[in-house]
Amino acid sequence: MEETEIICPNCKEEVSQVAIYCEYCKFPVSGTDKEKAIFIGQQTLNKSKVVSSEKVISRTQTILYIVAGFKVLNAVLAYLNFKSVIDAVFFVVIALILAVFSYLLPKKPVLFISLALGVILCYYLLLFLVSPMLLFNGILWKCCILMALFYALYTVVESQKLKKKFNL
Protein backbone atom coordinates (compact mmCIF):
# COMPACT_ATOMS: atom_id res chain seq x y z
CA MET A 1 0.00 0.00 0.00
CA GLU A 2 1.51 3.29 -1.09
CA GLU A 3 1.51 6.20 1.34
CA THR A 4 0.39 9.43 -0.32
CA GLU A 5 1.30 12.93 0.67
CA ILE A 6 -1.10 15.75 1.51
CA ILE A 7 -0.48 19.47 1.80
CA CYS A 8 -0.52 20.98 5.29
CA PRO A 9 -3.21 23.70 5.33
CA ASN A 10 -1.06 25.86 7.59
CA CYS A 11 2.45 25.87 6.11
CA LYS A 12 1.72 24.34 2.66
CA GLU A 13 4.41 21.65 3.09
CA GLU A 14 3.85 18.04 2.08
CA VAL A 15 3.08 15.69 4.96
CA SER A 16 2.13 12.04 5.17
CA GLN A 17 -1.56 11.23 5.18
CA VAL A 18 -1.06 9.17 8.33
CA ALA A 19 0.78 11.95 10.16
CA ILE A 20 -0.93 13.27 13.26
CA TYR A 21 1.00 16.57 13.23
CA CYS A 22 2.79 18.41 10.46
CA GLU A 23 6.50 17.90 11.02
CA TYR A 24 7.25 21.48 9.92
CA CYS A 25 4.73 23.63 11.78
CA LYS A 26 3.11 21.17 14.25
CA PHE A 27 -0.37 21.70 12.74
CA PRO A 28 -2.75 18.91 13.89
CA VAL A 29 -3.34 17.43 10.42
CA SER A 30 -5.40 14.54 11.80
CA GLY A 31 -6.92 16.55 14.64
CA THR A 32 -10.47 17.57 15.27
CA ASP A 33 -11.87 20.89 14.12
CA LYS A 34 -11.52 22.17 17.71
CA GLU A 35 -7.82 21.20 17.83
CA LYS A 36 -7.23 22.89 14.47
CA ALA A 37 -9.03 26.06 15.62
CA ILE A 38 -7.02 26.15 18.84
CA PHE A 39 -3.79 25.75 16.85
CA ILE A 40 -4.75 28.54 14.43
CA GLY A 41 -5.66 30.83 17.35
CA GLN A 42 -2.36 30.08 19.06
CA GLN A 43 -0.50 30.62 15.79
CA THR A 44 -2.20 34.00 15.34
CA LEU A 45 -1.22 34.99 18.88
CA ASN A 46 2.38 33.90 18.27
CA LYS A 47 2.56 35.89 15.04
CA SER A 48 1.26 38.98 16.84
CA LYS A 49 3.99 38.53 19.49
CA VAL A 50 6.61 38.40 16.73
CA VAL A 51 5.21 41.57 15.13
CA SER A 52 5.13 43.20 18.57
CA SER A 53 8.80 42.34 19.09
CA GLU A 54 9.63 44.06 15.81
CA LYS A 55 7.95 47.20 17.14
CA VAL A 56 9.94 46.87 20.36
CA ILE A 57 13.14 46.65 18.30
CA SER A 58 12.20 49.86 16.51
CA ARG A 59 11.47 51.63 19.82
CA THR A 60 14.71 50.35 21.32
CA GLN A 61 16.58 51.68 18.32
CA THR A 62 15.02 55.09 18.91
CA ILE A 63 15.86 54.98 22.63
CA LEU A 64 19.51 54.19 21.87
CA TYR A 65 19.70 57.04 19.35
CA ILE A 66 18.25 59.42 21.96
CA VAL A 67 20.71 58.24 24.62
CA ALA A 68 23.55 58.67 22.11
CA GLY A 69 22.29 62.19 21.39
CA PHE A 70 22.32 63.02 25.09
CA LYS A 71 25.87 61.71 25.34
CA VAL A 72 26.88 64.10 22.54
CA LEU A 73 25.17 66.89 24.48
CA ASN A 74 27.11 65.79 27.59
CA ALA A 75 30.31 66.01 25.54
CA VAL A 76 29.54 69.55 24.41
CA LEU A 77 28.61 70.64 27.94
CA ALA A 78 31.71 68.99 29.46
CA TYR A 79 33.90 70.85 26.99
CA LEU A 80 32.15 74.21 27.30
CA ASN A 81 31.75 74.22 31.08
CA PHE A 82 34.91 72.47 32.23
CA LYS A 83 37.20 72.67 29.18
CA SER A 84 37.65 68.93 29.66
CA VAL A 85 38.67 67.38 26.36
CA ILE A 86 39.02 63.94 27.94
CA ASP A 87 35.44 63.96 29.24
CA ALA A 88 34.16 65.27 25.91
CA VAL A 89 35.97 62.53 23.98
CA PHE A 90 34.70 59.92 26.46
CA PHE A 91 31.08 60.99 25.92
CA VAL A 92 31.50 61.13 22.15
CA VAL A 93 32.94 57.60 22.11
CA ILE A 94 30.01 56.28 24.14
CA ALA A 95 27.60 58.13 21.82
CA LEU A 96 29.23 56.62 18.74
CA ILE A 97 29.19 53.12 20.20
CA LEU A 98 25.49 53.39 21.10
CA ALA A 99 24.64 54.90 17.71
CA VAL A 100 26.41 52.05 15.88
CA PHE A 101 24.66 49.46 18.08
CA SER A 102 21.35 51.17 17.38
CA TYR A 103 21.99 51.15 13.64
CA LEU A 104 22.92 47.44 13.66
CA LEU A 105 20.15 46.45 16.08
CA PRO A 106 17.62 45.16 13.49
CA LYS A 107 20.20 42.75 12.03
CA LYS A 108 21.07 40.95 15.29
CA PRO A 109 18.76 42.32 18.00
CA VAL A 110 19.81 40.07 20.89
CA LEU A 111 23.50 40.76 20.34
CA PHE A 112 23.25 44.53 19.98
CA ILE A 113 20.70 45.05 22.77
CA SER A 114 22.98 43.02 25.05
CA LEU A 115 26.03 45.01 24.00
CA ALA A 116 24.23 48.34 24.46
CA LEU A 117 23.03 47.19 27.86
CA GLY A 118 26.59 46.22 28.77
CA VAL A 119 27.99 49.59 27.67
CA ILE A 120 25.35 51.49 29.62
CA LEU A 121 25.82 49.36 32.74
CA CYS A 122 29.60 49.86 32.55
CA TYR A 123 29.05 53.60 32.16
CA TYR A 124 26.79 53.63 35.23
CA LEU A 125 29.37 51.61 37.18
CA LEU A 126 32.05 54.08 36.17
CA LEU A 127 29.83 56.95 37.33
CA PHE A 128 29.40 55.22 40.67
CA LEU A 129 33.14 54.68 41.04
CA VAL A 130 33.92 58.32 40.24
CA SER A 131 31.28 59.67 42.59
CA PRO A 132 28.28 57.73 43.92
CA MET A 133 26.17 60.89 43.75
CA LEU A 134 26.64 61.03 39.96
CA LEU A 135 24.84 57.71 39.68
CA PHE A 136 21.84 59.05 41.59
CA ASN A 137 21.51 62.19 39.46
CA GLY A 138 18.76 61.38 36.99
CA ILE A 139 18.20 57.94 38.51
CA LEU A 140 14.65 57.79 37.16
CA TRP A 141 15.84 58.19 33.56
CA LYS A 142 18.62 55.70 34.11
CA CYS A 143 16.17 53.15 35.47
CA CYS A 144 13.78 53.76 32.56
CA ILE A 145 16.55 53.20 30.02
CA LEU A 146 17.68 50.00 31.73
CA MET A 147 14.14 48.66 32.05
CA ALA A 148 13.42 49.43 28.39
CA LEU A 149 16.56 47.57 27.31
CA PHE A 150 15.86 44.58 29.57
CA TYR A 151 12.26 44.45 28.31
CA ALA A 152 13.43 44.63 24.70
CA LEU A 153 15.94 41.85 25.29
CA TYR A 154 13.29 39.66 26.93
CA THR A 155 10.77 40.32 24.14
CA VAL A 156 13.25 39.61 21.35
CA VAL A 157 14.46 36.38 22.96
CA GLU A 158 10.87 35.16 23.42
CA SER A 159 10.05 36.11 19.84
CA GLN A 160 13.03 34.18 18.52
CA LYS A 161 11.99 31.14 20.55
CA LEU A 162 8.50 31.33 19.01
CA LYS A 163 9.92 31.70 15.51
CA LYS A 164 12.13 28.68 16.00
CA LYS A 165 9.52 26.51 17.73
CA PHE A 166 6.65 27.22 15.34
CA ASN A 167 8.64 27.88 12.17
CA LEU A 168 7.19 31.41 11.81
Side-chain angles (χ1 to χ4, degrees):
M1 185 173 211
E2 187 176 296
E3 188 178 305
T4 59
E5 302 285 317
I6 60 171
I7 303 294
C8 172
N10 185 54
C11 67
K12 310 298 184 229
E13 295 286 337
E14 288 186 1
V15 294
S16 168
Q17 258 188 337
V18 295
I20 296 173
Y21 294 99
C22 172
E23 61 188 68
Y24 300 101
C25 69
K26 312 292 187 256
F27 182 79
V29 178
S30 300
T32 64
D33 286 341
K34 182 179 178 182
E35 289 172 326
K36 291 176 182 179
I38 289 171
F39 176 85
I40 290 170
Q42 188 65 42
Q43 198 75 342
T44 303
L45 179 64
N46 292 338
K47 286 179 183 176
S48 73
K49 287 180 181 178
V50 170
V51 169
S52 174
S53 80
E54 291 167 3
K55 291 178 184 174
V56 168
I57 289 170
S58 176
R59 276 183 270 165
T60 304
Q61 203 174 14
T62 303
I63 288 169
L64 289 177
Y65 279 133
I66 290 170
V67 171
F70 275 111
K71 293 304 157 205
V72 169
L73 182 61
N74 284 353
V76 169
L77 292 175
Y79 183 74
L80 292 177
N81 291 336
F82 306 112
K83 301 293 185 219
S84 175
V85 175
I86 294 172
D87 288 345
V89 169
F90 174 74
F91 287 125
V92 168
V93 167
I94 289 178
L96 287 174
I97 290 171
L98 292 177
V100 168
F101 288 168
S102 182
Y103 176 75
L104 297 172
L105 188 76
K107 293 172 180 52
K108 293 202 179 266
V110 173
L111 174 66
F112 290 109
I113 291 172
S114 300
L115 289 173
L117 195 55
V119 166
I120 290 173
L121 285 172
C122 287
Y123 170 69
Y124 292 162
L125 177 65
L126 188 62
L127 280 179
F128 180 75
L129 293 174
V130 169
S131 171
M133 286 311 297
L134 288 176
L135 181 64
F136 294 108
N137 290 339
I139 190 75
L140 184 61
W141 289 114
K142 291 172 182 161
C143 288
C144 288
I145 291 166
L146 289 176
M147 288 189 318
L149 290 175
F150 278 119
Y151 175 74
L153 188 60
Y154 169 78
T155 303
V156 169
V157 167
E158 290 299 311
S159 170
Q160 288 183 348
K161 285 181 187 176
L162 288 173
K163 283 180 184 178
K164 191 174 187 179
K165 183 176 179 181
F166 295 106
N167 206 15
L168 296 174

